[in-house]
Amino acid sequence: MAAVDIHSDGERIMSVEALIITLLIGGIAGWLAATVMRGRGLGIVGNIVVGILGAFLASFLLPRIGIVIGGGWLGAIIHAFIGAVILLFLISLIKRA
């Protein structure tokens, strides 16, 4: 997996490689989340976008609350999948209201 660079002032910067990997994993996770949460999908493009946003959400939130599933591609897909499922659930709640 690509690393996130941390500068001396503590700022985190994602490399282009890490961004591409996050987008790819997010797309896979969005498709999987829509498959698991039947009836709550947003179409192919919408699910991919939700997966990508879920990947960013999960990569930001889960380590901060102490949830670390594992490394490598599988761990990243699981993290993104969790984020995508959460986002699809929240979107379905908003659509009902």
Side-chain angles (χ1 to χ4, degrees), residues 9-92:
D9 62 354
E11 181 182 4
R12 293 176 168 223
I13 296 182
M14 185 179 279
S15 68
V16 174
E17 180 185 40
L19 178 64
I20 291 170
I21 291 171
T22 301
L23 294 175
L24 178 66
I25 289 172
I28 293 168
W31 174 75
L32 286 172
T35 302
V36 169
M37 298 187 67
R38 293 182 187 154
R40 296 185 183 170
L42 302 172
I44 294 172
V45 175
N47 291 337
I48 290 172
V49 170
V50 167
I52 292 167
L53 293 175
F56 282 112
L57 175 71
S59 66
F60 178 76
L61 288 180
L62 293 180
R64 284 176 172 68
I65 61 174
I67 298 175
V68 179
I69 295 179
W73 284 93
L74 184 59
I77 290 172
I78 292 170
H79 272 237
F81 171 74
I82 291 169
V85 167
I86 291 169
L87 281 178
L88 280 176
F89 178 73
L90 292 175
I91 290 170
S92 70

